[in-house]
């Protein structure tokens, strides 16, 4: 998950945005948002290959992003099930490992485990900071790495063996900054995590909000691993801003009540993908009604959460109530499998060489919205252009998704959020 290279302002339709290599343009949502991941017309009667793909997932089961790990892992498992059920020439053997975070460093043991098991592709890591630490080792081992949630602009064009299905924070920051201004706020306080994710979003939100005529009157950062936020909250509260943006992970559950106790209106908080969650089950001791937040992703099918839970709870896991980055994780698996089928290989470098093609980033492919439909096109000798649940994706020359939907969510009286744009 995870800066800003310009001061352009998203002026309209803040819910959907189109990101290209040279410009940022607000655009309409892709027509794939209503597609369901269970639609299928079969993977072709004559598979082009008979491949066994050893796939790893490196996602957070522990640490500050653990609440996002379950939806992403469920997305991975759902996609793996559908790829295998299609019997279209690729069979996935999935090995899952805990990413953890920078404090518990679970990723160190986990990535060594996955590499030793011979995986040739990995979905993860979730954290931009962790991905930076593991990427060189993956590249050296010939492992294709696809993150569903790395959003730091630092990853643009970082390596030919790296792709991401989530857009840069440059986009999310512009959308959220614009939304804060559109809501009539003239002054803003920002609390942010001091790492590539937090500082990048902070810069993007601030530049966009101030370019509309607003003013950031207070800002305070904290480091990962910090457990006390009183000083940061006091800095923000002293400036009496109209609204407060909180760029964090699960630290929000501590920061938000402190803001309320300090006199900040907790119905005027603005959140980001790292902390946008449904908080009713956590018994958060404040009301968030009216607060808003943003996260990447197109509008998902109504039954998508049910589909995730069907595969997730089958192994005895507790049901999930969130879908953050689950579609991006799902799409990452589908694209890897399609690239393998198109390449006729499970070697990381070979799959990486076909990722742009199967996403529609190069070539003149035929659009399709499920693995089975896309696999049939490939098995019949054609070129597939997969449009996923998270959006059109379409990798550009930097291996970033060209088209990206950014949703705006608002909290109700039950502390649950609903997409409004």
């Amino acid at each position: 998950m995870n800066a800003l290279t310009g001061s352009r302002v998203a002026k309209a339709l803040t819910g959907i945005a189109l990101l290209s290599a040279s410009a940022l343009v607000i655009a309409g949502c892709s027509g794939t948002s209503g597609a369901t991941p269970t639609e299928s017309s079969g993977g072709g009667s004559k598979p082009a290959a008979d491949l066994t793909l050893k796939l790893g997932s490196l996602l957070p089961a522990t640490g500050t992003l653990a609440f996002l790990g379950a939806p992403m892992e469920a997305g991975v498992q759902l996609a793996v099930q559908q790829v295998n059920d299609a019997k279209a020439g690729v069979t996935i053997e999935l090995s899952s490992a805990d990413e953890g975070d920078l404090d518990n460093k679970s990723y160190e043991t986990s990535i060594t485990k996955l590499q030793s098991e011979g995986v040739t592709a990995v979905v993860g890591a979730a954290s931009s900071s962790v991905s930076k630490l593991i990427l060189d080792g993956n590249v050296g081992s010939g492992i294709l790495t696809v993150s569903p949630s790395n959003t730091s602009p630092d990853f643009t064009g970082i390596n030919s063996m790296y792709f991401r299905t989530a857009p840069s924070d440059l986009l999310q920051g512009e959308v959220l900054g614009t939304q804060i201004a559109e809501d009539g706020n003239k002054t803003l306080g920002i609390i942010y995590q001091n790492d590539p994710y937090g500082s990048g979003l902070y810069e993007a939100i601030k530049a966009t909000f101030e370019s509309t005529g607003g003013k950031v009157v207070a800002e305070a950062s904290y480091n990962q691993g910090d457990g006390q936020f009183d000083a940061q909250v006091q800095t923000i509260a002293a400036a009496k801003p109209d609204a407060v943006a909180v760029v964090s992970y699960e630290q929000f559950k501590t920061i938000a009540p402190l803001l309320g106790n300090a006199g900040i209106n907790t119905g005027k908080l603005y959140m980001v993908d790292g902390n946008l969650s449904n908080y009713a089950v956590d018994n958060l001791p404040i009301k968030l009604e009216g607060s808003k937040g943003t996260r990447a992703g197109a509008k998902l099918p109504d039954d998508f959460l049910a589909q995730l839970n069907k595969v997730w709870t089958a192994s005895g896991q507790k049901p999930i109530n969130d879908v953050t980055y689950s579609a991006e994780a799902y799409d990452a698996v589908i694209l890897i499998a399609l690239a393998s089928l198109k390449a006729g290989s499970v070697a990381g470098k070979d799959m990486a060489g076909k990722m742009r093609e199967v996403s529609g980033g190069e070539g003149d492919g035929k659009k399709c919205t499920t693995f089975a439909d896309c696999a049939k096109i490939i098995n019949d000798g054609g070129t597939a252009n997969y449009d996923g649940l998270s959006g059109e994706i379409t990798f550009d020359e930097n291996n970033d998704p060209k088209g990206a939907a950014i949703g705006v969510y608002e909290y109700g009286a039950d502390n649950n959020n609903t997409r409004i744009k």
Side-chain angles (χ1 to χ4, degrees):
M1 305 180 62
N2 192 29
L4 184 66
T5 57
S7 59
R8 302 178 302 278
V9 183
K11 297 181 179 178
L13 297 178
T14 60
I16 305 297
L18 181 65
L19 184 63
S20 69
S22 60
L24 184 65
V25 183
I26 299 301
C29 180
S30 79
T32 65
S33 61
T36 69
T38 55
E39 292 172 352
S40 171
S41 63
S45 57
K46 296 180 180 180
D50 183 12
L51 305 166
T52 298
L53 170 61
K54 292 186 176 181
L55 176 69
S57 68
L58 183 68
L59 299 167
T62 62
T64 54
L65 280 177
F67 75 102
L68 294 178
M72 286 189 279
E73 184 64 31
V76 168
Q77 292 183 15
L78 178 61
V80 168
Q81 181 183 85
Q82 292 177 4
V83 169
N84 290 345
D85 287 349
K87 301 185 187 308
V90 179
T91 299
I92 297 177
E93 294 181 355
L94 176 65
S95 181
S96 299
D98 179 24
E99 171 183 344
D101 59 19
L102 295 182
D103 290 330
N104 66 30
K105 294 181 169 56
S106 292
Y107 58 86
E108 293 181 346
T109 302
S110 294
I111 196 63
T112 300
K113 167 183 173 288
L114 292 175
Q115 290 172 357
S116 68
E117 290 176 350
V119 303
T120 56
V122 166
V123 177
S127 163
S128 292
S129 296
V130 172
S131 284
K132 284 186 177 182
L133 293 172
I134 68 166
L135 184 56
D136 285 348
N138 277 1
V139 172
S141 299
I143 297 172
L144 168 64
T145 303
V146 185
S147 174
S149 58
N150 287 167
T151 53
S152 168
D154 295 349
F155 287 98
T156 295
I158 193 170
N159 193 282
S160 62
M161 294 285 284
Y162 173 89
F163 293 77
R164 56 178 168 182
T165 51
S168 166
D169 277 332
L170 172 61
L171 180 57
Q172 184 183 183
E174 288 196 3
V175 171
L176 186 59
T178 300
Q179 183 64 49
I180 296 169
E182 286 183 350
D183 287 346
N185 300 295
K186 301 301 182 185
T187 58
L188 177 68
I190 306 177
I191 294 180
Y192 65 97
Q193 186 165 290
N194 187 23
D195 67 357
Y197 169 69
S199 59
L201 268 170
Y202 150 72
E203 291 174 9
I205 293 166
K206 178 178 180 179
T208 302
F209 180 71
E210 292 194 332
S211 69
T212 68
K215 182 171 180 56
V216 174
V217 294
E219 52 200 56
S221 67
Y222 66 89
N223 296 317
Q224 273 202 58
D226 288 353
Q228 301 294 322
F229 308 100
D230 297 270
Q232 291 88 344
V233 168
Q234 289 171 11
T235 296
I236 300 299
K240 297 181 172 22
D242 295 336
V244 177
V246 182
V247 182
S248 72
Y249 295 152
E250 67 172 6
Q251 297 91 343
F252 177 83
K253 291 188 287 188
T254 301
I255 294 171
L258 290 174
L259 288 169
N261 292 339
I264 297 294
N265 181 357
T266 58
K268 298 283 281 184
L269 302 181
Y270 288 85
M271 286 158 266
V272 292
D273 55 348
N275 54 29
L276 186 72
S277 185
N278 291 322
Y279 288 100
V281 294
D282 293 339
N283 297 316
L284 196 70
I286 57 171
K287 288 290 187 181
L288 294 175
E289 185 174 10
S291 288
K292 294 177 182 176
T294 51
R295 69 168 172 241
K299 189 178 186 328
L300 295 170
D302 292 339
D303 66 341
F304 186 56
L305 180 59
Q307 292 182 55
L308 291 174
N309 271 316
K310 183 176 181 180
V311 67
W312 183 243
T313 58
S315 60
Q317 301 283 357
K318 293 181 179 179
I320 55 176
N321 69 341
D322 206 335
V323 295
T324 304
Y325 286 118
S326 55
E328 285 78 5
Y330 174 94
D331 287 342
V333 174
I334 299 299
L335 285 161
I336 292 169
L338 290 172
S340 173
L341 187 64
K342 184 64 178 178
S345 169
V346 294
K349 186 175 181 180
D350 293 341
M351 292 186 290
K354 293 298 182 181
M355 288 287 284
R356 286 193 65 201
E357 179 179 310
V358 297
S359 75
E362 60 185 16
D364 187 21
K366 181 179 179 181
K367 284 187 176 292
C368 46
T369 59
T370 69
F371 173 78
D373 289 345
C374 293
K376 185 177 188 304
I377 293 170
I378 294 172
N379 287 334
D380 288 344
T383 299
N385 172 3
Y386 175 68
D387 283 353
L389 290 176
S390 63
E392 291 186 356
I393 306 171
T394 310
F395 294 124
D396 63 18
E397 63 274 14
N398 293 310
N399 299 347
D400 284 343
K402 286 183 181 179
I406 302 292
V408 177
Y409 297 77
E410 183 171 2
Y411 282 86
D414 58 357
N415 275 6
N416 290 325
N417 63 70
T418 302
R419 186 170 184 146
I420 59 173
K421 292 183 180 179

